[in-house]
Amino acid sequence: MTAVSGQAPTATARTREDGGVGTDAARPDGRLKVTGEFAYGSDLWMDDMLWGVTLRSPHPHARIRSIDIGPALALPGVFAVLTAEDVPGELRYGLEIADQPVLAEDVVLYQGEPVALVAAEHPETARRASARIVVDYEVLEPVTDARTALGHGNEGPRTDLHPEPTPVVEQSREAAPLRPHGNLIRHLKIRKGDQRDAAAAAGKDIVVVTGDYEVGMQDQAFLGPESGLAVPAEDGGVDLYVSTQWLHVDQQQICRALGMPKEKVRLTLAGVGGAFGGREDLSMHVHACLLAMRTGKPVKMSYNREESFFGHVHRHPAKMHYEHGFTRDGDLVSVRARIWLDGGAYASSSAAVVGNAGLMGIGPYVVPNVTMDCWGAYTNNPPCGAMRGFGAVQAAFAYESQMDKGAAALGIDPVELRVRNAMEEGSIAPTGQVVDSAAPVVELLRRLQAMPLPPAASSGADVDLRAMPGGVSNTTHGEGVRRGVGWAVGYKNIAFSEGFDDYSTARVRLEITGGEPTVTVHTAAAEVGQGLVTVQQQIARTELGVERVVIAPTDTSVGSGGSTSASRQTYVTGGAVQEACRRVRAAVLARSGRELWEDVLGDLVAVLGDEAVEETVVWRHRPTEAVDPETGQGNAHVQYAFAAHRVVVDVDVELGLVKVVEMACTQDVGKAINPQAVVGQIHGGSAQGMGLALMEEVVVTDGIIRNPSFTDYLIPTILDMPPMRVEVLELPDPHAPYGLRGVGEPPTVSSGPAVLAAIRDATGMFLTRVPVRPEHITLSGDVRSEERA
Amino acid sequence: MRVHLTVNGERRQADDVWEGESLLYLLRERLGLPGSKNACEQGECGSCSVYLDGEVVCACLVAAGQAVGREVVTVEGLADGADLHPVQQAFLDAGAVQCGFCTPGLLVTVHDLLARDAAPEDAEIREALAGNLCRCTGYEKILDAVRDAAGRLA
Ligand code: FES
Ligand code: FES
């Protein structure tokens, strides 16, 4: 069941036919996607193309003594074998810190690090050749714990994985200079209000609630593998067709590695089969280009599922220590928190993730006294970086658990405790920033409370096994099954923060084609499945009143569209398209000598003739600031977006099996540009949060990934997902185009904590680690003895 | 090895096929039919679902040689010329397509489900689609699409 309720009056009718802003306009790529004709990166093909494969390190930490490529080169059908020596430009690249080699040089710092490349006629030939490359490794002891890596664990001498400071690259997301040394990527501090402990600070009767929490490493698990096709060009350059999230930052990094100017490295977006942050870093991009340049032939690379687990960054595993101080009445007066994020072998976007986890780490509550320390560390684990929710997800498990623990300690209802301390418009965030648009935390919770609860579980002989924990495995007919209800609320900063120059470029052309006005929208902003192409068409239709809107191929022949991440594209690229359309309108009006667009619209054929009117706009959201490095104070954020969940579970406490019965979500989106797509984002985002709470973990022991397959890394299936209720609020943000708020991430922040809370409610156990495994539940003597009694 | 088979009603042939190649590889890389997808190549995701002699299989788990002389229908064979099959149209109308990588396999699976059971209950739909992973939609709108398609076909 879904319902969309509007607060703000909506000017446009919500029909698919109209196709403008506020309608369920159809996807322009939909038909191609249901007929199988849509070309993803892995579908690209050229007549004489070669296949590239990557040889990866089997060790998480080792020195490379020698590499012998001779046996691989000798195999018939092999065209090239490349190692670090063959990288013509700069060896190291990175989103924020250029610390990661294109191919390992003298050491490998994680299992799966690329060491050599092969191009051959058939992918199997390439794989066999790569198996013949002889790499002589001196295996070193891996550093596998973030706290140990930082020397916070008192576990002996520290091994510095990046002893030399590495250069910060231009496109650094942080304004504050980062000088990484040793194993510290970033230390974010907030010092707000009184820094003494809670009781001393409040000077009265304070209940202090303490907790230690842990979040496992999650994988984006997009279904479309990392893939692309590099084609050598006649001008000595290369054209790369690739599934990615951010063409221009890819281009910058590829140019450095190839030692070529950007005119010679042209990127075009290939179809993207989901991203969720995992395509913000380079994967096969430089590798395919190197092989294409060397062989003079087009080279395709496409990872299989196992390689995909090594081929992209993951969500940072987190360890968190929180102390909340409440008055007896339930006022949250202080939070002291420490968060350790394991960044793995290379920095990727860890510094920004640390910023987010720390700055969003108290939750959507008003707290006068805050002490926050959040560290990102280098280890020999797989590199971690962007994933939907970007640091805010990990912290939400801790702060929402603390709210529940506080409620229990105080004897206050968990929803009422949240309501009592909720942020609202005008509140001061832990950064000192004023929340200057709607912050409907209370309303989101109240609307959830107003939704009916699902019917009680059936039991006994006529039970439907499919509705039981354990399903058709027939593990229970209701014995030992307990119901629980959990609540959580979360928030996420939208778009890039902390002073990053965040912008998008849009080129809009209006002309007459085939006797009909046609708008062409050209950006470099990546459609990854979320529906950005639809939104661009909707905005152009609304702004120009023209129905036929064509989305030009997404490529680097237009300026950057920024990253498809941080829930920013509808806001920032949408803002750019809106502004470009308005300039086109102004230019056409000036040419026509008329004053009203409505008057010109019916007459466009005559006004334009065979000329096109084109405008290119670079559009920025309002600026943000770096935070003070000692206090974490500053206007770091553009916008906040809020979501809340109520989750109902049935738990078989004897077997530790969980069945999620229902998820309900309320979210404020400011303005739903495409209500159907908005609800789709809320469904999908909620599912990913639920997955992290219940089943999804890249299991890493001693630096080795134990489960790099969909057999062993479980993502929710249709049997795991419960029915969802969604209510969407539209409380406009006056600073944003159409009043909209970013949509994609907030539901991933709050769904997992609500699942965890529901399991606690069902079992009576204070679970502190996600994903929750059956043994976490069954190993409690309490539950079992109580059950037997 | 030479492989000949019928795909979407047409006789097709491929030469120099290596024994280790899957039906999925044959379709995608040798016969120019990349509609069937390759999200895991291990039988875990359903993105490669095709009909083989009328039964839905994971094309990644079938050796190309096993398909010799048999009849294959892929997502490319569902529409009737320019007219989408009601299952395809229902997926579009319901908003069940985001990135679309799971879509071809789901369409084939749902096409098969509705041919066997014209009005499945939700629990039956869930069981039938349990082998098709989707990472984008949370499955809600896929359920909507299946219910809607059942109505259109009724
Ligand atoms: S690709 Fe065949 S089941 Fe996943
Ligand atoms: S729509 Fe992306 S995997 Fe299903």
Side-chain angles (χ1 to χ4, degrees):
Chain A
M1 287 286 293
T2 61
V4 177
S5 58
Q7 291 278 309
T10 315
T12 37
R14 278 191 182 140
T15 63
R16 182 158 279 205
E17 289 67 43
D18 171 285
V21 166
T23 71
D24 290 341
R27 302 183 65 99
D29 54 8
R31 196 183 164 89
L32 293 175
K33 284 180 174 178
V34 297
T35 54
E37 289 165 83
F38 186 79
Y40 297 89
S42 48
D43 299 335
L44 301 175
W45 195 86
M46 280 177 91
D47 252 340
D48 57 343
M49 74 178 192
L50 302 175
W51 289 81
V53 306
T54 319
L55 177 70
R56 295 174 180 273
S57 165
H59 307 295
H61 195 191
R63 198 174 313 285
I64 298 176
R65 292 204 196 93
S66 65
I67 303 179
D68 182 4
I69 63 171
L73 268 176
L75 201 67
V78 171
F79 279 69
V81 182
L82 307 180
T83 63
E85 283 174 12
D86 301 300
V87 177
E90 288 168 39
L91 183 67
R92 288 174 193 275
Y93 70 93
L95 281 174
E96 295 170 356
I97 301 169
D99 59 359
Q100 185 158 7
V102 170
L103 291 167
E105 195 176 24
D106 44 357
V107 292
V108 288
L109 292 181
Y110 72 98
Q111 182 212 13
E113 181 159 356
V115 175
L117 305 169
V118 179
E121 289 167 344
H122 192 285
E124 185 60 21
T125 310
R127 277 190 288 270
R128 288 180 183 185
S130 79
R132 290 172 155 226
I133 298 170
V134 183
V135 186
D136 183 13
Y137 292 104
E138 177 194 341
V139 175
L140 304 171
E141 189 66 28
V143 177
T144 59
D145 178 75
R147 282 189 287 200
T148 310
L150 294 173
H152 295 184
N154 298 325
E155 286 155 53
R158 204 177 71 196
T159 311
D160 278 356
L161 300 175
H162 292 269
E164 300 297 326
T166 40
V168 174
V169 296
E170 277 163 40
Q171 74 266 20
S172 169
R173 196 176 273 175
E174 306 312 315
L178 293 161
R179 282 283 148 210
H181 57 84
N183 299 331
L184 178 64
I185 302 173
R186 186 179 182 192
H187 177 192
L188 180 283
K189 299 181 204 174
I190 301 176
R191 302 287 181 267
K192 175 173 179 260
D194 200 317
Q195 293 300 300
R196 292 170 298 167
D197 71 34
K204 48 187 159 173
D205 192 13
I206 292 298
V207 176
V208 177
V209 172
T210 302
D212 288 281
Y213 306 94
E214 205 177 319
V215 175
M217 183 187 289
Q218 189 179 21
D219 187 61
Q220 295 83 355
F222 41 71
L223 289 200
E226 291 87 343
S227 51
L229 178 70
V231 185
E234 277 179 7
D235 65 352
V238 62
D239 291 286
L240 178 67
Y241 302 83
V242 63
S243 302
T244 190
Q245 284 180 240
W246 191 356
L247 285 171
H248 281 78
V249 158
D250 291 349
Q251 184 190 36
Q252 282 177 24
Q253 296 177 91
I254 298 166
C255 285
R256 279 202 199 93
L258 298 181
M260 293 208 294
K262 71 176 200 276
E263 300 72 47
K264 294 220 165 156
V265 178
R266 297 159 295 250
L267 272 67
T268 303
L269 187 69
V272 184
F276 318 116
R279 299 186 206 265
E280 208 171 38
D281 295 75
L282 297 182
S283 59
M284 44 59 63
H285 308 52
V286 177
H287 296 162
C289 292
L290 288 170
L291 290 170
M293 300 303 285
R294 173 63 68 94
T295 60
K297 284 171 170 283
V299 173
K300 171 169 168 172
M301 294 185 84
S302 181
Y303 293 174
N304 64 20
R305 182 53 49 185
E306 180 179 4
E307 186 170 21
S308 181
F309 275 94
F310 298 102
H312 62 255
V313 298
H314 307 285
R315 188 191 297 289
H316 292 74
K319 293 193 171 138
M320 303 175 280
H321 176 84
Y322 272 66
E323 294 169 21
H324 276 49
F326 294 94
T327 65
R328 292 268 165 210
D329 298 337
D331 290 333
L332 179 54
V333 290
S334 73
V335 176
R336 299 163 70 85
R338 276 171 285 164
I339 300 175
W340 292 267
L341 298 176
D342 183 347
Y346 297 105
S348 176
S349 51
S350 286
V353 176
V354 166
N356 257 26
L359 298 176
M360 310 304 290
I362 308 305
Y365 303 109
V366 179
V367 190
N369 307 301
V370 176
T371 310
M372 164 66 76
D373 291 277
C374 180
W375 295 273
Y378 285 120
T379 66
N380 293 114
N381 289 325
C384 288
M387 182 174 172
R388 195 176 200 167
F390 205 76
V393 165
Q394 293 92 324
F397 279 102
Y399 65 68
E400 285 301 84
S401 296
Q402 285 288 98
M403 293 307 279
D404 283 346
K405 204 170 189 178
L410 295 162
I412 297 177
D413 176 85
V415 174
E416 296 311 317
L417 187 67
R418 287 173 169 86
V419 165
R420 187 176 183 100
N421 293 288
M423 250 181 198
E424 55 189 26
E425 185 166 355
S427 294
I428 309 288
T431 52
Q433 183 164 354
V434 177
V435 179
D436 63 359
S437 69
V441 176
V442 173
E443 186 172 356
L444 294 175
L445 289 166
R446 292 292 183 224
R447 280 175 177 257
L448 281 176
Q449 285 182 311
M451 291 185 195
L453 280 162
S458 58
S459 61
D462 52 328
V463 73
D464 185 350
L465 284 176
R466 294 173 297 194
M468 287 283 122
V472 291
S473 309
N474 198 9
T475 48
T476 176
H477 287 203
E479 322 81 63
V481 174
R482 297 191 192 164
R483 177 148 293 189
V485 181
W487 307 82
V489 56
Y491 76 143
K492 175 70 182 48
N493 52 325
I494 301 302
F496 283 18
S497 302
E498 298 190 63
F500 185 85
D501 182 22
D502 190 13
Y503 66 91
S504 282
T505 313
R507 183 180 294 157
V508 171
R509 188 170 69 234
L510 175 61
E511 67 202 315
I512 305 300
T513 57
E516 235 190 278
T518 304
V519 179
T520 304
V521 179
H522 188 186
T523 75
E527 163 66 47
V528 298
Q530 82 282 38
L532 178 64
V533 285
T534 325
V535 162
Q536 290 177 325
Q537 286 184 316
Q538 291 179 264
I539 291 173
R541 289 192 192 112
T542 290
E543 295 300 327
L544 293 172
V546 171
E547 205 208 305
R548 190 201 282 175
V549 180
V550 176
I551 304 298
T554 305
D555 61 25
T556 51
S557 71
V558 62
S560 176
S563 179
T564 296
S565 63
S567 308
R568 66 176 283 288
Q569 283 296 20
T570 300
Y571 191 138
V572 189
T573 295
V577 172
Q578 181 191 42
E579 180 58 25
C581 287
R582 289 181 176 178
R583 289 205 198 160
V584 165
R585 198 163 68 184
V588 175
L589 276 177
R591 172 187 299 212
S592 73
R594 287 178 237 180
E595 275 176 18
L596 288 175
W597 184 246
E598 289 66 35
D599 296 342
V600 178
L601 199 51
D603 212 12
L604 275 176
V605 175
V607 172
L608 289 171
D610 48 16
E611 279 183 57
V613 173
E614 183 177 285
E615 294 286 340
T616 303
V617 164
V618 176
W619 194 88
R620 290 174 164 78
H621 56 69
R622 55 188 174 149
T624 60
E625 308 168 353
V627 293
D628 182 283
E630 291 308 314
T631 65
Q633 300 300 292
N635 293 324
H637 300 134
V638 186
Q639 183 186 61
Y640 301 107
F642 301 81
H645 279 84
R646 182 192 71 193
V647 170
V648 179
V649 297
D650 283 337
V651 182
D652 181 337
V653 294
E654 293 171 1
L655 295 175
L657 300 175
V658 176
K659 172 79 184 172
V660 181
V661 175
E662 189 199 74
M663 287 212 276
C665 178
T666 49
Q667 181 171 336
D668 172 32
V669 304
K671 164 77 185 169
I673 303 296
N674 185 315
Q676 186 184 60
V678 161
V679 173
Q681 286 296 304
I682 294 172
H683 289 153
S686 299
Q688 289 181 7
M690 188 198 95
L692 176 57
L694 278 182
M695 62 188 84
E696 292 187 35
E697 183 171 10
V698 180
V699 178
V700 181
T701 50
D702 304 325
I704 303 286
I705 298 183
R706 305 291 166 179
N707 57 343
S709 73
F710 280 161
T711 313
D712 298 312
Y713 182 92
L714 303 180
I715 65 173
T717 70
I718 198 168
L719 288 176
D720 300 309
M721 277 306 293
M724 280 196 68
R725 285 172 188 278
V726 176
E727 267 187 42
V728 175
L729 301 190
E730 296 183 276
L731 307 176
D733 176 353
H735 311 285
Y738 306 107
L740 72 85
R741 254 172 235 287
V743 171
E745 292 171 289
T748 307
V749 177
S750 50
S751 66
V755 171
L756 181 63
I759 300 172
R760 285 192 195 121
D761 186 49
T763 61
M765 302 173 61
F766 196 76
L767 302 160
T768 58
R769 187 187 194 282
V770 290
V772 176
R773 300 197 176 283
E775 60 267 29
H776 298 155
I777 296 170
T778 54
L779 288 182
S780 152
D782 295 358
V783 173
R784 305 198 69 168
S785 52
E786 213 183 289
E787 191 64 29
R788 280 190 212 104
Chain B
M1 126 179 110
R2 165 173 292 191
V3 171
H4 58 90
L5 71 172
T6 305
V7 185
N8 300 330
E10 246 181 76
R11 292 271 297 160
R12 301 294 302 267
Q13 177 176 312
D15 288 316
D16 301 324
V17 173
W18 169 64
E19 296 77 32
E21 284 176 20
S22 65
L23 173 59
L24 183 63
Y25 187 90
L26 178 75
L27 292 167
R28 290 174 50 79
E29 306 296 341
R30 294 194 183 274
L31 301 179
L33 292 168
S36 308
K37 292 291 170 260
N38 54 338
C40 77
E41 296 171 90
Q42 286 183 315
E44 292 289 347
C45 75
S47 73
C48 63
S49 302
V50 300
Y51 281 108
L52 179 63
D53 284 347
E55 278 204 39
V56 176
V57 297
C58 292
C60 68
L61 294 183
V62 177
Q66 284 175 281
V68 171
R70 298 172 75 177
E71 226 172 293
V72 174
V73 177
T74 69
V75 68
E76 287 99 337
L78 295 184
D80 182 6
D83 295 334
L84 294 181
H85 188 275
V87 174
Q88 291 170 309
Q89 193 61 51
F91 266 65
L92 290 181
D93 293 348
V97 179
Q98 288 189 30
C99 86
F101 211 81
C102 64
T103 306
L106 275 161
L107 291 172
V108 172
T109 309
V110 172
H111 186 274
D112 176 57
L113 167 68
L114 296 180
R116 290 184 286 109
D117 181 352
E121 286 173 22
D122 279 7
E124 288 157 357
I125 299 172
R126 288 182 190 272
E127 263 186 288
L129 305 191
N132 291 79
L133 297 178
C134 173
R135 189 54 157 168
C136 301
T137 65
Y139 305 102
E140 278 283 287
K141 290 186 180 297
I142 291 172
L143 280 159
D144 289 345
V146 180
R147 295 181 200 117
D148 178 35
R152 287 173 200 236
L153 286 165

